[in-house]
Amino acid sequence: MSFSTRLRLRRAWPPAALLAVVALSAAAFHSPTDDDVVRRLVLSVQRFYAAALPEKAYLHLDKPWYTAGETIWLKAYVVDAERHQPDTLSKVLHVELLNANSQLVARRNLRLEAGLAPGDVALPDTLSPGNYTLRAYTGWMRNAGPTFFYSRQVAIWPAAPVETPDSKPAAVRARAAAARQLAQSVATPPDVQFFPEGGNLVAGLENTVAFKVTDFAAHGIDVEGKVFDGDNKLVAAFGSSHLGMGTFVLTPVAGQRYHAVLAPAAVPLTVPLPAVQASGYTLHVVTLTNDYLVAIRQQGGSGGPVLVLGQVRGTAAYVGRGQVSGTETFTARIPKSKFPAGIVHFTLFDGQGAPLAERLAFAQTDPGLRVTLTPDRPSYGSRQPVRVRVAVANAAGEPVAANLSLAVTDAGVAEANAETIASNLLLTSDLAGYVETPGYYFQNPTPETAQHLDALLLTQGWRRFAWTNVLSNKAPVQNFGVERSVSVLGQILQRNGKPVPGGKLNFLQTAPTKLFMATTADEEGRFLFNGIGGCDTIHVTLQSRTGKDGRNAELHLDPGPPVLRRPMFPLPMQVPGSLADALARSQQQRTIERKFRLDTTKTILLGGVTVKGAKAVVSDPRRLYPSTGATVLKMDDYPGSGSNTVLQMLQGRVAGVTVTGTGENTNVLIRGVTSFAGSSSPLFLLDGVPVDVSALAYFPATDAESIEVLKGGQAAIYGSRGSNGVIAVYSRRRSPNYKPSSAPAPGVAVLHLPAYYCGREFYVPRYDAPKTNREFPDARRSTLYWNPTVQTDAAGQAEVRFFTSDAKGAFQLRTEGLSRGGQPAQGQGILRVE
């Protein structure tokens, strides 16, 4: 490593700055590998990543937009944020669809296997058109906050063409309201921000200042502007070069205040620039073809030793030390090859390791994996078999094994500059705030694209950590644990809002499987139940059992992470021309599917059918035996039960049942039965689920529907477990006839929670099979084929097979995925049906 001592970099450096450059000998820089300060900096970053273990999530969707009634097919990729290897830390990924008002529309809990999971979200036909937010996160990611979740905007259009204004007055009012909302939003003043390179505007030094101008939905607005000092003297002019972003050069004067006047609209806008610092350091980075040119200057001090650290996602790839004297410019040429692909975080420190300035750059040192998609024929007819060969190779042409997801969609649904797995993992996942059209910076790498990417990095903050916390060895916040299964998190509170420390809680799951668990809350009353499995919806009753105060306890379940509201444009009143034809074809497909119910795997068209029936008698699925075979105490027959527990209600009311002790020390004995297991305790059931006696020790009798006792042969249905008899308690809230009241029961919560989502398989007719129904139209067009489990072998090869539909035209093949080493892979192709 060496700092540059040449002026041959003149073309890459602003001419005015060259006048102040003082060439330094290579001896002014030395390797700092044994320096305690450098060691402390590097170890601090490593400790942060080792403690935080940050994760990233990405969703590959089959297409960028949908119509109501369609299905969002997706593949989830979860990786560690440091090396991007498929993560095995978390086993559950939460996927949520939110409307423009941040209301939850759909939720899926995906079971991760080696960081991967397929899934889908079926959109109702009645879903209101608009822009929606699709986000994904693990429980562990909640420690870093919602800004680190995966999030993308998804447009959902009507399932059918919008009716004419005369036929649908309600539609007219809705469209008029959307127009008013859009007009009001557009009238909102744009957001204008200025970002001095390195962090501060330092007096007496030439500063590069970046700017970004966006509308209410964070979309860039192209502007022109001028900068004036406090005496309204023009000192600089600027204009945006890409999506409202750009840079200009300013040499500020100490004590002056500067402002910019912009003209993005009819009314000029005046915005102050950051305050000028009388002293400080500037950190300037120029991205060359193979190197970074780093320049350091200081003002208002005597200078001294400085350190430059360049790290990518916790990997300290470059550390250099030098000496700055007076106003001399200290430069270094750093090879890009030192850095892994991604955002390079350059930080300037003083000799004691205190941060002085920061700057982001980008290292495109790994072009990623190339996926080639080759159909076996140049074109196809309707309902013909298709074989697509998938080949994955690195930049050197060597085969690579990778896990991929493949979508074949109407070529008209493609979105230019859309997000990809590469743009997400390497760029947007490590930047703060919304990034518009991230795929633009990767799809066509040119010097102009690189310049626009540099402007983006100057205006988007690094969000992974703050040096103040890292250098002080402040432990990352970890309020949430690693989810290895679906879990229930909450807190036990008194009615006055104070926590119940050490409160005890029962978890009773009655469907789809029976499960009982008990736990004790921590000192803040927080509790966690995990180990929950199964598909779809689980039926759960939570009950606090905190002794005499149990009736005064309230259960507060974790509401989930907050939603970061980002304003979004409503769908345009007029469908864009590039989208109109594809949208019309998608709406036509939905019309055919509704007519013939082609969205199911088996369709039978029936003639006129008359259905007759009688009201079904509701049975109680909790009971395995007829109630006539048990001694039954119906709680409605004992209105004066008051504060008694269900076990106390048995005393003296059922012959042969003896109840002694209190609380968790309660003992129950049924005389006249013989134990085969050496124990005298009966089998206890709560809503049909075996529980411990402690689960019923504080169960209020008023919350029970009935208490039933089985002896001898009556309990034989439970085998040896019922050899000492059975005491079964049935709660009111799990009764099929229960009608909930508006007031929640204290200390009790009845829940219907999403378990794992067991996704559907994308249906493709097999026209080579004799039993395939050929009588109905095959309307697949919007998404002709979706496969989330394409796995290439050691030779980098795989093959997928499917059939074309009745639709004709061009279809786009698009695949994304990851290698085992964390390299993003992507590729495209064309399939033609004539």
Side-chain angles (χ1 to χ4, degrees):
M1 297 180 290
S2 63
F3 281 88
S4 172
T5 61
R6 309 287 185 183
L7 294 182
R8 61 173 180 266
L9 304 175
R10 183 183 304 272
R11 289 178 298 175
W13 193 252
L18 288 173
L19 300 177
V21 172
V22 177
L24 301 178
S25 67
F29 169 77
H30 64 273
S31 175
T33 53
D34 296 327
D35 189 281
D36 291 339
V37 175
V38 173
R39 186 180 299 109
R40 179 170 64 91
L41 296 176
V42 175
L43 290 178
S44 294
V45 176
Q46 293 175 346
R47 277 195 297 265
F48 167 80
Y49 275 87
L53 295 173
E55 297 175 326
K56 294 181 180 180
Y58 174 75
L59 299 181
H60 176 205
L61 309 186
D62 61 319
K63 57 181 186 174
W65 57 263
Y66 300 85
T67 58
E70 287 188 320
T71 296
I72 300 176
W73 298 97
L74 60 90
K75 169 74 171 291
Y77 296 86
V78 178
V79 300
D80 72 272
E82 187 174 2
R83 294 178 176 82
H84 292 166
Q85 294 180 348
D87 192 33
T88 58
L89 185 65
S90 294
K91 298 298 183 183
V92 182
L93 180 71
H94 306 284
V95 178
E96 297 174 344
L97 183 67
L98 308 167
N99 63 19
N101 295 322
S102 301
Q103 297 170 323
L104 184 66
V105 174
R107 181 179 182 183
R108 301 286 185 264
N109 294 329
L110 303 184
R111 187 196 304 267
L112 293 169
E113 295 184 5
L116 308 173
D120 63 85
V121 179
L123 303 175
D125 285 331
T126 56
L127 192 64
S128 299
N131 283 313
Y132 288 71
T133 298
L134 189 68
R135 72 172 186 173
Y137 59 92
T138 65
W140 185 251
M141 292 169 65
R142 294 182 62 181
N143 291 311
T147 57
F148 291 87
F149 296 174
Y150 173 82
S151 179
R152 70 181 295 169
Q153 180 177 306
V154 177
I156 299 177
W157 294 84
V162 177
E163 299 287 347
T164 61
D166 294 337
S167 61
K168 291 288 185 179
V172 177
R173 291 193 296 269
R175 290 165 65 87
R180 288 193 298 271
Q181 176 187 352
L182 180 60
Q184 182 179 3
S185 301
V186 171
T188 302
D191 180 54
V192 183
Q193 298 185 68
F194 293 94
F195 305 88
E197 184 180 21
N200 293 315
L201 199 59
V202 183
L205 300 179
E206 188 175 79
N207 292 251
T208 296
V209 181
F211 62 90
K212 187 171 187 177
V213 183
T214 58
D215 61 21
F216 79 102
H219 294 164
I221 301 174
D222 288 329
V223 298
E224 292 183 352
K226 297 179 180 180
V227 179
F228 300 88
D229 61 16
D231 299 324
N232 285 325
K233 178 183 177 181
L234 177 65
V235 295
F238 59 87
S240 57
S241 59
H242 177 67
L243 297 178
M245 296 179 290
T247 61
F248 61 90
V249 176
L250 177 66
T251 302
V253 177
Q256 277 281 9
R257 295 288 299 180
Y258 296 87
H259 65 274
V261 178
L262 295 86
V267 180
L269 183 66
T270 301
V271 181
L273 267 65
V276 178
Q277 305 295 318
S279 61
Y281 284 78
T282 61
L283 175 63
H284 185 64
V285 177
V286 177
T287 302
L288 307 177
T289 303
N290 299 314
D291 306 286
Y292 298 108
L293 177 63
V294 178
I296 304 164
R297 299 184 70 190
Q298 72 90 29
Q299 176 71 27
S302 59
V306 292
L307 299 169
V308 177
L309 172 64
Q311 58 96 9
V312 178
R313 301 186 301 274
T315 299
Y318 174 86
V319 182
R321 180 177 177 179
Q323 189 82 17
V324 175
S325 301
T327 58
E328 298 172 349
T329 300
F330 196 51
T331 62
R333 179 187 284 265
I334 306 172
K336 288 184 179 179
S337 59
K338 291 183 175 294
F339 302 96
I343 295 176
V344 183
H345 187 188
F346 285 113
T347 308
L348 175 67
F349 300 88
D350 65 15
Q352 303 302 313
L356 301 172
E358 291 185 314
R359 170 69 149 90
L360 301 184
F362 192 80
Q364 186 57 284
T365 53
D366 184 356
L369 302 178
R370 183 179 68 256
V371 184
T372 304
L373 303 171
T374 308
D376 61 333
R377 296 173 57 181
S379 63
Y380 301 84
S382 299
R383 305 193 182 191
Q384 285 191 338
V386 178
R387 292 192 303 171
V388 177
R389 185 173 68 87
V390 182
V392 181
N394 59 21
E398 300 168 334
V400 178
N403 196 298
L404 308 169
S405 39
L406 171 68
V408 183
T409 59
D410 186 343
V413 307
E415 181 181 6
N417 303 322
E419 179 188 55
T420 65
I421 192 169
S423 69
N424 178 269
L425 296 183
L426 299 180
L427 183 66
T428 57
S429 59
D430 287 319
L431 290 177
Y434 170 72
V435 177
E436 187 177 359
T437 61
Y440 163 80
Y441 305 102
F442 291 79
Q443 292 180 1
N444 185 27
T446 64
E448 183 182 33
T449 304
Q451 180 185 13
H452 296 164
L453 177 56
D454 194 58
L456 173 71
L457 296 175
L458 283 167
T459 57
Q460 301 279 151
W462 168 263
R463 69 175 186 173
R464 189 57 63 179
F465 62 79
W467 277 111
T468 303
N469 295 335
V470 170
L471 295 178
S472 63
N473 292 325
K474 184 177 180 180
V477 176
Q478 294 180 351
N479 293 326
F480 301 93
V482 175
E483 285 185 301
R484 298 283 182 173
S485 64
V486 177
S487 59
V488 176
L489 178 66
Q491 189 177 24
I492 309 177
L493 300 176
Q494 300 177 26
R495 292 188 177 181
N496 59 9
K498 294 182 179 180
V500 180
K504 297 181 179 180
L505 198 72
N506 288 334
F507 174 99
L508 180 70
Q509 177 181 315
T510 57
T513 58
K514 298 183 184 298
L515 175 66
F516 174 78
M517 295 184 287
T519 192
T520 301
D522 64 12
E523 62 277 5
E524 295 296 328
R526 294 171 298 191
F527 61 85
L528 172 68
F529 288 102
N530 51 30
I532 304 170
C535 293
D536 300 326
T537 302
I538 57 175
H539 298 204
V540 173
T541 299
L542 296 181
Q543 183 185 32
S544 170
R545 50 185 183 89
T546 55
K548 295 180 180 180
D549 295 330
R551 297 290 294 174
N552 296 321
E554 294 182 353
L555 302 181
H556 290 250
L557 296 183
D558 173 38
V563 177
L564 298 179
R565 300 195 63 172
R566 184 176 70 83
M568 292 185 292
F569 278 108
L571 293 179
M573 302 290 291
Q574 186 71 30
V575 180
S578 59
L579 181 62
D581 292 341
L583 178 59
R585 291 192 293 266
S586 177
Q587 292 171 335
Q588 182 182 21
Q589 175 183 334
R590 288 297 304 145
T591 300
I592 297 174
E593 289 174 343
R594 287 195 302 271
K595 180 178 179 180
F596 294 97
R597 295 305 301 161
L598 298 178
D599 50 353
T600 60
T601 58
K602 295 182 179 180
T603 301
I604 300 176
L605 187 62
L606 301 177
V609 177
T610 301
V611 179
K612 296 182 179 180
K615 183 177 181 180
V617 177
V618 179
S619 61
D620 194 335
R622 302 172 294 173
R623 188 179 284 106
L624 300 180
Y625 54 89
S627 58
T628 56
T631 301
V632 181
L633 296 181
K634 294 184 178 180
M635 292 300 98
D636 288 341
D637 296 337
Y638 301 91
S641 57
S643 60
N644 288 340
T645 67
V646 291
L647 297 182
Q648 290 170 342
M649 290 296 296
L650 291 173
Q651 184 66 47
R653 291 185 173 89
V654 179
V657 178
T658 303
V659 180
T660 59
T662 60
E664 296 186 23
N665 296 320
T666 301
N667 294 311
V668 181
L669 177 65
I670 301 178
R671 295 192 300 273
V673 295
T674 303
S675 172
F676 295 103
S679 171
S680 60
S681 177
L683 172 65
F684 295 98
L685 301 174
L686 178 57
D687 287 331
V689 181
V691 298
D692 188 79
V693 66
S694 61
L696 302 177
Y698 299 110
F699 196 99
T702 54
D703 288 345
E705 180 185 48
S706 64
I707 308 171
E708 303 180 2
V709 180
L710 290 83
K711 306 176 185 178
Q714 301 170 344
I717 192 173
Y718 293 100
S720 61
R721 296 184 302 164
S723 60
N724 291 321
V726 177
I727 295 178
V729 176
Y730 296 94
S731 68
R732 295 183 184 275
R733 288 167 182 80
R734 283 301 177 196
S735 170
N737 300 314
Y738 175 67
K739 296 181 180 179
S741 63
S742 58
V748 178
V750 178
L751 312 173
H752 298 276
L753 302 173
Y756 285 117
Y757 179 70
C758 299
R760 301 173 295 159
E761 183 178 351
F762 186 88
Y763 174 67
V764 177
R766 292 294 306 269
Y767 291 114
D768 57 349
K771 294 184 179 181
T772 300
N773 195 328
R774 296 173 174 80
E775 298 179 4
F776 297 100
D778 187 346
R780 290 175 296 127
R781 182 184 196 110
S782 183
T783 298
L784 179 67
Y785 179 68
W786 167 255
N787 189 337
T789 58
V790 180
Q791 176 70 60
T792 60
D793 55 22
Q797 302 287 325
E799 184 178 86
V800 296
R801 302 185 181 189
F802 56 94
F803 284 81
T804 61
S805 64
D806 294 335
K808 294 178 174 57
F811 292 86
Q812 182 184 51
L813 300 137
R814 186 168 60 89
T815 184
E816 293 186 342
L818 277 176
S819 70
R820 295 174 183 174
Q823 288 179 289
Q826 53 198 53
Q828 295 185 9
I830 290 294
L831 180 76
R832 300 189 183 279
V833 181
E834 299 176 348

